Amino acid sequence: MPIVAQSTETTDWVSRFADEVIEESERRAPGKPVVVASGLSPSGPIHLGNLREVMTPHLVADEIRRRGHEVRHLISWDDYDRYRKVPNGVPGVDASWAEHIGRPLTSVPAPAGSAYPNWAEHFRAAMVEALAEMGVEFDGISQTEQYTSGVYREQVLHAMKHRGDIDAILDQYRTKKAPAKKQGQKPVDEAELEAAEGSGAAAEDDGTGSAGYFPYKPYCGGCGKDLTTVTAYDDDTTELTYSCTECAFAETVRLSEFNRGKLVWKVDWPMRWAYEGVVFEPSGVDHSSPGSSFQVGGQIVGSVFGGKQPIGPMYAFVGISGMAKMSSSKGGVPTPGDALKIMEPQLLRWLYARRRPNQSFKIAFDQEIQRLYDEWDKLGAKVAGGTSPAAGSGSGSALPGDVAAYARAIGTAAGELAKTPRPMAYRTLASVADITAGAEDQTLRILSELDPSDPITSLDEVRPRLDKAEAWINTQVPADQRTVVREEADAELLKSLDDQGRASLRLLLDGLDTHWSLDGLTHLVYGVPKVQAGFSADATPKELPAEIKVAQRTFFALLYHLLVGRDTGPRLPTLLLAVGQERVRKLLGQ
């Protein structure tokens, strides 16, 4: 049976949520497609923390599809939000972009050199590309298009008519202090930084002007910014008067015909829940604290818009493990596109699938990525019921939850994602890429010698994993940690060796011909210290005294110094294959 099979039982957090969502959808809208939702603001690079906003409902939606139900995953692009600030370190952007603060994101120029017409589309495009590579199916909704085409006109007029009811709900929280930020908690989301009720203007503006509270914010007809104050509104005629604090422009418009503005955030979000019939939508910790938009929206959606609040978890922080300085200089944390340069989409999907939404986790950009890949390959071998060179022993059986997470990672209800035909260990590919500096002929030579009984004949067999490992070496490993093989033998070190040191090198050199493969060289380099101590090269750790480990470390350090001039480096078997037999013999003094 294929791994990407239709789910039949509850085995993990995804299937448990799918059970709830299907049941709730049948209660709310029997016979209609299940609606799950995400919301993303293209106010700058959309980072890996934001990806959890998409992956949580995506995984649930995919499980529902596997069960044969029709489901829509909506992604609301909040591109009609105000441009709040100029982000640091974005290429093609300088301080002059500050003049656009207060305008809709779709009215702000894209970074210099961009192929896209505005700021929002520039950053949205990168996310759309990453989601396509990850197999995420969704229906995108531009809030600029929704508002400026009048789609929400009835909802806007309804909210203005019931502004007193909305004001009363919001007033319950106006005097409450925000909870203290806990150590390690992520910064408050930009949506929560809108004015007290999400007015989208300056922080002191809570949407209450001299004429009272209004849950609607016009963009100025003069300067295009939202630094406006509504001063009058007539429910019967829908005439609305506003003035701009930026350019002193003022006008009276008929809201039943006016499309240049939007509801404030804490009203806009519940309005969309009701309008789209959203059953499931997760929210970050920033949206879920007392008095925040999710809690307030839960009251507004029912009492004002006659809808229901979605069910869905609060999702926790996603951290980053060890970014190189060249990456962090971009400002903020890396994007899904950055992660997909160094890891296959299956691994990135797995990181989100295997942890419950309320569990935080880290995405590795440092050496930890090699351990994660080892873990991933071992799980794949267990799921397949066998072993592989990349996965090690693969002994034991995988737990049902791990099997489910693996199935969700390698594909969707539509089928499996494209994969590397021969997924060699990531750490091996990274070591080879490090040593060869991307030279394809040398890379193919080394990889073809790893397993002489079944040699690699084309680099396409190990792509795209090879390309990801090479990108990791080139972008995330500092130059002073790269491997540079010595050009000439270290004559002084060779001359200084004692009898035991010279004997260890002889044993290694004598065994190169008959052990020239990854497994053979592994057996050889670990076996030399055993043989020197009077044991069999096949002796297991349980049969050996602790001193053997010390002798092995000493021997390994000697080889590293003679080959690369350092105490450590790539795994020795891989390094020896990469250097090549002739050069190894030269550097070891033969």
Side-chain angles (χ1 to χ4, degrees):
M1 181 178 69
I3 294 171
V4 185
Q6 180 174 308
S7 298
T8 57
E9 59 180 335
T10 299
T11 56
D12 62 348
W13 69 265
V14 178
S15 50
R16 286 190 290 272
F17 273 121
D19 291 340
E20 294 180 34
V21 172
I22 291 170
E23 184 179 346
E24 185 66 21
S25 183
E26 283 300 312
R27 266 200 301 268
R28 297 187 185 187
K32 293 185 177 180
V34 179
V35 179
V36 307
S38 307
L40 294 173
S41 177
S43 57
I46 301 173
H47 56 70
L48 286 162
N50 303 135
L51 182 58
R52 204 165 202 181
E53 169 78 23
V54 176
M55 288 304 296
T56 302
H58 161 69
L59 291 166
V60 173
D62 186 65
E63 170 65 18
I64 294 171
R65 288 191 188 100
R66 294 179 194 231
R67 300 184 188 185
H69 296 271
E70 187 178 355
V71 57
R72 294 182 68 207
H73 179 186
L74 309 178
I75 292 185
S76 268
W77 301 104
D78 291 320
D79 52 13
Y80 207 45
D81 285 359
R82 76 191 309 262
Y83 184 60
R84 300 192 57 80
K85 62 181 179 181
V86 182
N88 294 326
V90 174
V93 176
D94 57 32
S96 66
W97 262 258
E99 70 175 278
H100 302 292
I101 291 175
R103 294 189 174 118
L105 293 171
T106 42
S107 296
V108 177
S114 171
Y116 297 93
N118 60 61
W119 187 273
E121 289 193 42
H122 174 82
F123 291 106
R124 178 172 61 192
M127 187 64 168
V128 169
E129 182 179 352
L131 293 177
E133 187 173 347
M134 295 181 71
V136 176
E137 179 183 332
F138 66 91
D139 293 337
I141 298 175
S142 164
Q143 292 304 314
T144 295
E145 293 177 7
Q146 295 291 92
Y147 272 106
T148 59
S149 65
V151 168
Y152 295 145
R153 180 169 289 116
E154 288 186 15
Q155 285 71 27
V156 169
L157 295 175
H158 183 80
M160 289 291 279
K161 183 176 182 179
H162 292 272
R163 58 190 179 275
D165 299 327
I166 295 171
D167 189 34
I169 293 171
L170 297 175
D171 195 51
Q172 300 173 37
Y173 303 97
R174 285 194 176 108
T175 60
K176 293 184 179 181
K177 293 183 178 180
K181 181 181 174 183
K182 296 180 180 179
Q183 186 175 5
Q185 184 175 334
K186 72 174 180 177
V188 172
D189 188 272
E190 288 195 357
E192 292 295 348
L193 290 176
E194 293 191 2
E197 305 345 313
S199 68
E204 64 271 12
D205 181 359
D206 69 351
T208 306
S210 59
Y213 171 77
F214 300 99
Y216 182 79
K217 200 73 173 172
Y219 281 107
C220 176
C223 64
K225 300 181 179 182
D226 71 340
L227 302 174
T228 57
T229 300
V230 175
T231 56
Y233 180 70
D234 185 280
D235 285 309
D236 294 330
T237 64
T238 75
E239 285 190 349
L240 178 147
T241 302
Y242 74 89
S243 60
C244 179
T245 59
E246 174 81 352
C247 67
F249 181 86
E251 68 174 335
T252 297
V253 298
R254 197 176 291 273
L255 194 55
S256 58
E257 303 168 356
F258 183 77
N259 296 326
R260 199 181 61 245
K262 69 185 291 288
L263 294 171
V264 298
W265 169 245
K266 287 185 179 178
V267 182
D268 174 69
W269 199 13
M271 178 275 289
R272 287 190 248 159
W273 291 339
Y275 182 83
E276 301 288 357
V278 178
V279 177
F280 179 84
E281 182 171 3
S283 58
V285 293
D286 47 315
H287 282 314
S288 303
S289 57
S292 67
S293 50
F294 192 78
Q295 183 184 59
V296 173
Q299 296 186 51
I300 292 175
V301 68
S303 61
V304 175
F305 295 107
K308 291 186 178 181
Q309 187 177 32
I311 60 175
M314 177 186 76
Y315 58 86
F317 181 69
V318 175
I320 303 299
S321 171
M323 283 185 64
K325 289 183 180 178
M326 66 181 73
S327 296
S328 59
S329 66
K330 296 178 182 177
V333 292
T335 65
D338 292 328
L340 290 169
K341 288 183 177 70
I342 65 170
M343 63 181 70
E344 293 163 280
Q346 291 89 338
L347 184 75
L348 188 55
R349 287 176 63 91
W350 178 60
L351 294 177
Y352 288 86
R354 70 174 182 157
R355 294 283 183 257
R356 295 191 304 274
N358 63 356
Q359 291 178 311
S360 60
F361 67 90
K362 290 185 177 181
I363 295 176
F365 276 70
D366 58 6
Q367 297 282 343
E368 179 70 8
I369 192 174
Q370 299 184 359
R371 188 199 64 77
L372 280 174
Y373 254 104
D374 288 344
E375 188 179 350
W376 166 251
D377 287 336
K378 287 178 181 177
L379 175 59
K382 286 183 177 181
V383 171
T387 61
S388 70
S393 66
S395 60
S397 57
L399 297 173
D402 293 331
V403 175
Y406 184 82
R408 302 188 195 292
I410 66 171
T412 69
E416 292 189 8
L417 300 181
K419 60 184 179 181
T420 300
R422 290 184 62 171
M424 286 187 170
Y426 188 91
R427 64 175 65 247
T428 299
L429 296 174
S431 294
V432 173
D434 181 21
I435 298 162
T436 63
E440 293 200 354
D441 57 340
Q442 289 299 311
T443 300
L444 181 57
R445 174 189 66 78
I446 297 164
L447 296 181
S448 67
E449 293 177 342
L450 292 178
D451 183 5
S453 66
D454 187 17
I456 295 288
T457 59
S458 167
L459 293 183
D460 289 340
E461 296 179 57
V462 290
R463 285 183 165 133
R465 186 179 289 197
L466 171 63
D467 299 327
K468 309 293 185 182
E470 186 174 332
W472 177 73
I473 285 290
N474 291 334
T475 63
Q476 301 303 318
V477 178
D480 60 359
Q481 294 179 23
R482 298 289 298 271
T483 301
V484 179
V485 180
R486 298 179 67 94
E487 291 294 334
E488 300 292 337
D490 187 338
E492 287 191 19
L493 177 55
L494 287 168
K495 187 177 179 180
S496 70
L497 294 179
D498 57 19
D499 290 343
Q500 184 171 353
R502 284 192 289 272
S504 67
L505 293 182
R506 277 198 304 272
L507 283 170
L508 179 71
L509 290 167
D510 289 346
L512 287 182
D513 279 333
T514 55
H515 292 83
W516 197 252
S517 69
L518 188 62
D519 288 343
L521 289 172
T522 300
H523 184 268
L524 180 62
V525 296
Y526 279 91
V528 166
K530 299 177 190 178
V531 172
Q532 280 194 290
F535 296 92
S536 166
D538 296 319
T540 64
K542 291 182 179 179
E543 300 171 314
L544 299 169
E547 293 79 14
I548 293 298
K549 287 187 177 181
V550 177
Q552 286 174 332
R553 285 196 293 270
T554 302
F555 178 53
F556 295 168
L558 171 61
L559 293 178
Y560 281 126
H561 273 288
L562 290 171
L563 295 172
V564 297
R566 296 206 318 254
D567 289 332
T568 61
R571 291 186 70 245
L572 276 169
T574 307
L575 178 59
L576 292 168
L577 284 171
V579 174
Q581 221 182 122
E582 182 179 348
R583 195 172 176 189
V584 167
R585 293 184 185 279
K586 173 185 173 183
L587 295 176
L588 298 188
Q590 189 174 65

